[in-house]
């Protein structure tokens, strides 16, 4: 008798002739954390949708404790014990924690029958929610309104909801994409507790270090095919990447080829009440300055202040010895600063505009005849940028929504570059980007520095910070705790200052 | 899905062509030069307002004060348009100036206060109506010069002058939207305002322009209407904003911002005009006309929604 709780056999699924999944296997043991890895487009989400009954496979079986779930809908798979926690958490903000947990099951918990079962029983709901949250060891009030919770707390509530469904298998899709490192630690503790209780977790994440921290087994998909399943102990970082991209990446981080130039940007004692204090650093032409720190350390806030998206109260910023206090991004752009936001969808691009219209948006002054648009110059600038950055798009008129994450990021970088910045601030430049495209973005960042730009790179991925930066500024709770040279910096040293 | 989305995009053109074809075949009077000119003339004011509100809706805003601006600008222009007082250019400048100023006021309050445009223009809609009554002391302003009355009632080579104004306005608005940097920025602001700002676009400036242009076009509509009825009516234009918004929406402008075309809006306005004209020809009472119009508005948005899904 096997100890597998879920066995997926020979699953295939095509969409209008294109094979999204081709003969996929997946075996999940009771009480294990099983990571599902693969680049965007590898078939992870199609596979998940089949597991939870949102899609029906063309062939194959999904056996939960021997029972074939193929053909069951979402509600049925949930009742049988498969529960998914989506990356974008689905909650009703105006309802309380308890009301969210038991949403849709008010009749079951009302304790009444007949007509009266329509009568809400909030007391019972609150009591049950409190018991659940207590058991998880998290401190969230059942009567708190959902909208007052942090993202991490909402996630805990979702997990509580899964437990209340007596889930045997919980699928977590990028659960750490929007929570702080401390909250990640809490989440991992809860995952370990769930494991101990015999609940199995399918864990999807782009963050390699997390995968190795939490998972027991790793299954890799690539281009809709099953590549293999290995115990996490057998694999290392490079081996896993090789499985995912199908080739060895020998050198992830390109070296500088040009010497450093003059100081371009200097920041002195910069402060903004409640956000950051006493920040001082400079960046030279050709240099990459890494900004490291935990989420909430003030890295993005500093970048936004320099770029004129937020205001700051004290200190000074100078660009090539002349002061800058940008009140709008326009002023910062005109003074040669470019900013690639961490929030690509929110601040990066206009989804319903074309690649061309997006990429030229910051530099329309270079493509004008009076108030009119010079379409020829605009078109040729766009084509050149598409070629330079190797943007994969069906053409200059393609809407940016339809590009992959990596190519959307390149469009945003292209937009910033067309405004000819001397200083470029990249905030989490590889977030939500495939491993292969990450490598290309690293090359690009280094080439920008080699072309003489001063680069500031904010990143939560330490390997990235260590691999690319010439110097590293570490922040903790809005204060500057270290400015490290490349030689001094290791993951341990950075972490030590990041939590200081 | 792709085919459906294309249909959503061009559906309005097909629908318009189809309705015209059916009417041409079923109603002999419909497809005559004189009737088409009547339609064009009737549509002109709504189309002008609809062009203005299309700019606003593309940036993600809304303007409910159009109808009131029609009244204020009409009364203001009429007050300076009595025979043998001022040259024609004065009432025109007064009317257009009043409209631009009111539009700029909308823009200023919206950009400075961060109050949603719906609320701000709901306020200025009422303020405008009050101003029109104050300016006219509640009475119609009549006895206007022949030159002024030509604007809404005259012909050039048999073509009603309002149609000529309509065509010129359409051409100018299309150029502004498609060929100028301002037009590009309108789409950017409506498509994703924070990203537009982070791209260096002065969002407030774009919005100021948009509401001012909308006021200007409303004034043009107000002058046309006043001239056509040869009276400045403080109660004129009530509800015009809804017809204008309807034309823009039927023409494919999304109320969530970031999309829309002047051609679509023109077709939308023509469709409204053609339908009420043909229902008139078919002796359908105006009660039913309103029901039909409502169904068309919802139908257009449903098609638009189909077009947007992936």
């Amino acid at each position: 008798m096997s100890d597998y709780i879920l066995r997926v056999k020979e699953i295939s699924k095509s969409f209008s002739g294109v094979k999204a999944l081709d003969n996929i296997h997946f075996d999940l043991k009771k009480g294990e954390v099983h990571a599902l890895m693969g680049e965007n487009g590898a078939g992870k989400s199609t596979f998940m949708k089949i597991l939870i009954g949102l899609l029906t496979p063309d062939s194959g079986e999904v056996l939960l404790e021997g029972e074939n779930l193929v053909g069951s809908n979402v509600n049925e798979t949930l009742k049988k014990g498969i529960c998914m926690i989506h990356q974008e958490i689905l909650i009703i903000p105006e309802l309380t924690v308890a009301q969210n947990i038991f949403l849709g099951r008010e009749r079951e918990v009302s304790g009444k029958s007949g007509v009266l079962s329509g009568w809400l029983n909030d007391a019972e709901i609150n009591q049950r929610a409190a018991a659940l949250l207590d058991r998880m060891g998290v401190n969230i009030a059942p009567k708190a309104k959902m909208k007052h919770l942090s993202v991490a707390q909402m996630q805990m509530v979702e997990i509580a909801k899964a437990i209340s469904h007596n889930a045997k298998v919980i699928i977590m899709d990028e659960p750490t994409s929007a929570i702080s490192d401390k909250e990640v630690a809490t989440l991992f503790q809860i995952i370990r507790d769930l494991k101990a209780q015999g609940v199995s977790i399918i864990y999807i994440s782009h963050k390699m270090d997390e995968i190795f921290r939490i998972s027991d087994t790793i299954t890799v998909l690539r281009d809709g095919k099953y590549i293999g399943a290995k115990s996490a102990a057998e694999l290392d970082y490079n081996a896993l990447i090789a499985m995912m991209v199908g080739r060895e990446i020998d050198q992830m981080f390109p070296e500088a080829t040009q010497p450093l130039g003059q100081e371009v940007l200097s920041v002195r004692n910069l402060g903004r009440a409640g956000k950051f204090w006493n920040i001082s650093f400079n960046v030279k032409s050709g240099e990459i300055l890494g900004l490291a720190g935990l989420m909430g350390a003030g890295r993005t806030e500093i970048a936004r202040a320099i770029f004129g998206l937020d205001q700051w109260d004290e200190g000074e910023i100078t660009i090539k010895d002349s002061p800058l206090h940008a009140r709008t991004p326009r002023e910062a752009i005109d003074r040669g600063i470019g900013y690639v936001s961490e929030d690509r969808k929110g601040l990066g691009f206009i989804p319903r505009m074309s690649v061309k219209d997006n990429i030229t948006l910051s530099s329309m002054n270079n493509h004008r005849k009076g108030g009119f648009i010079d379409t020829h110059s605009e078109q040729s600038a766009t084509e050149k940028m598409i070629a330079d950055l190797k943007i994969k798009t069906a053409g200059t008129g393609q809407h940016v929504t339809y590009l992959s994450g990596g190519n959307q990021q390149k469009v945003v970088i292209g937009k910033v570059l067309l405004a000819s910045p001397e200083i470029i601030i990249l905030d989490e430049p590889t977030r939500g980007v495939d491993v292969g495209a990450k490598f290309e973005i690293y090359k690009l960042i280094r080439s920008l520095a080699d072309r003489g730009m001063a680069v500031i790179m904010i990143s939560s991925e330490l390997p990235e910070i260590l691999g690319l930066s010439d110097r590293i500024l570490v922040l903790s709770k809005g204060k500057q705790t270290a400015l490290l040279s490349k030689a001094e910096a290791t993951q341990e040293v950075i972490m030590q200052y990041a939590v200081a | 899905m792709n085919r459906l989305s294309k249909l959503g995009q061009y559906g309005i053109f097909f629908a318009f062509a189809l309705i015209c074809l059916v009417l041409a075949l079923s109603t002999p009077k419909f497809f005559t030069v004189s009737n088409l000119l009547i339609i064009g003339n009737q549509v002109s004011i709504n189309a002008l307002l609809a062009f203005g509100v299309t700019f606003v809706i593309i940036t993600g805003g809304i303007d409910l004060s159009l109808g009131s601006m029609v009244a204020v600008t009409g009364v203001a222009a009429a007050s300076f348009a009595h025979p043998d007082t001022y040259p024609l250019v004065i009432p025109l400048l007064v009317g257009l100036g009043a409209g631009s100023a009111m539009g700029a006021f909308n823009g200023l309050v919206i950009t400075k206060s961060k109050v949603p445009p719906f609320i701000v223009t709901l306020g200025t809609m009422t303020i405008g109506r009050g101003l029109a009554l104050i300016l006219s002391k509640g009475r119609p302003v009549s006895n206007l010069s022949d030159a002024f009355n030509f604007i809404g009632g005259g012909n050039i080579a048999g073509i009603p002058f309002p149609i000529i104004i309509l065509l010129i306005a359409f051409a100018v608005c299309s150029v502004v939207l498609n060929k100028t940097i301002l037009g590009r920025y309108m789409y950017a602001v409506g498509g994703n305002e924070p990203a537009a700002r982070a791209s260096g676009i002065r969002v407030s400036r774009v919005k100021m322009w948009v509401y001012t242009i909308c006021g200007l076009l409303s004034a043009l509509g107000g002058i046309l209407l006043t001239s056509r009825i040869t009276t400045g009516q403080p109660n004129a234009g009530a509800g015009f904003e809804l017809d204008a918004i309807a034309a823009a929406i039927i023409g494919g402008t999304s109320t969530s911002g970031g999309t829309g075309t002047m051609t679509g809006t023109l077709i939308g306005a023509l469709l409204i005009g053609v339908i009420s004209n043909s229902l008139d020809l078919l002796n359908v009472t105006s009660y039913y006309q309103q029901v039909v119009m409502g169904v068309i508005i919802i139908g257009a948005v449903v098609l638009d929604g189909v077009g947007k899904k992936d």
Side-chain angles (χ1 to χ4, degrees), chain A residues 347-363:
Chain A
L347 281 181
F349 60 87
I350 320 273
R352 282 203 256 173
M353 288 196 354
S354 66
V355 169
K356 172 175 74 73
D357 292 1
N358 266 290
I359 220 164
T360 56
L361 203 55
S362 287
S363 54

Side-chain angles (χ1 to χ4, degrees), chain B residues 61-115:
Chain B
I62 193 78
D63 192 342
L64 300 178
S65 65
L66 302 178
S68 297
M69 291 199 281
V70 164
V72 174
T73 57
V75 167
S79 309
F80 290 86
H82 299 303
D84 307 318
T85 49
Y86 301 97
L88 179 61
V89 61
I90 298 297
L92 295 186
L93 284 180
V94 168
L96 296 175
S100 308
M102 291 180 72
F105 179 76
N106 277 334
L108 197 68
V109 177
I110 287 162
T111 53
K112 294 291 174 204
S113 73
K114 313 287 178 204
V115 173

Side-chain angles (χ1 to χ4, degrees), chain A residues 239-257:
Chain A
L240 178 55
I241 287 181
M243 278 176 87
M244 286 168 65
V245 299
R247 65 190 155 89
E248 299 280 344
I249 291 179
D250 39 359
Q251 213 209 339
M252 200 76 178
F253 302 105
E255 295 291 327
T257 61

Side-chain angles (χ1 to χ4, degrees), chain B residues 209-301:
Chain B
W209 269 111
V210 161
Y211 286 97
T212 307
I213 294 173
C214 190
L216 183 74
L217 284 160
S218 304
L220 204 52
I223 291 169
L224 263 185
L225 180 68
T226 305
S227 166
R228 178 180 294 163
I229 60 177
T230 68
T231 319
Q233 278 280 8
N235 291 318
F240 278 23
E241 58 280 345
L242 299 181
D243 281 344
I245 293 167
I249 290 172
I250 292 172
T253 306
S254 157
T255 46
S256 52
T259 57
T261 61
M262 283 300 156
T263 315
T265 297
L266 179 64
I267 303 272
L270 287 173
L271 190 67
I272 292 175
V274 162
I275 286 171
S276 65
N277 171 268
S278 58
L279 295 176
D280 279 343
L281 294 182
L282 295 167
N283 286 325
V284 178
T285 68
S286 65
Y287 305 157
Y288 285 98
Q289 295 189 15
Q290 297 194 23
V291 174
V292 171
M293 208 60 70
V295 170
I296 289 174
I297 294 170
I298 296 170
V301 178

Side-chain angles (χ1 to χ4, degrees), chain A residues 330 345 362 371 373 378 415, chain B residues 179 181 184 192 199-200 259:
Chain A
R330 181 78 256 162
K345 280 198 178 121
S362 287
I373 297 168
E378 201 189 23
K415 173 182 74 179
Chain B
K179 304 286 180 194
I181 293 173
R184 172 75 52 81
N192 183 349
S199 300
T259 57

Side-chain angles (χ1 to χ4, degrees), chain A residues 307-310 327-330 333-334 339 344-353 356-358 360-365 367-373 375 378 401-402 415, chain B residues 5 175-202 252 254-260 304 307-310:
Chain A
F307 190 61
L309 274 167
D310 293 331
R327 279 170 185 83
T328 61
R330 181 78 256 162
I333 292 169
D334 290 344
Y339 176 56
R344 193 157 59 228
K345 280 198 178 121
L347 281 181
F349 60 87
I350 320 273
R352 282 203 256 173
M353 288 196 354
K356 172 175 74 73
D357 292 1
N358 266 290
T360 56
L361 203 55
S362 287
S363 54
M364 285 309 290
N365 283 338
H367 312 292
R368 70 191 304 165
K369 289 175 182 162
F372 292 91
I373 297 168
T375 22
E378 201 189 23
T401 327
Y402 301 116
K415 173 182 74 179
Chain B
S5 96
V175 167
V176 168
L177 194 55
N178 298 316
K179 304 286 180 194
T180 68
I181 293 173
L182 179 63
R184 172 75 52 81
Y185 286 179
M186 289 178 194
Y187 284 114
V189 168
N192 183 349
E193 188 171 322
R197 186 168 130 81
S199 300
I201 294 173
R202 296 176 177 100
S254 157
T255 46
S256 52
T259 57
D304 190 44
K308 254 180 276 167
K309 275 183 208 141
D310 285 333

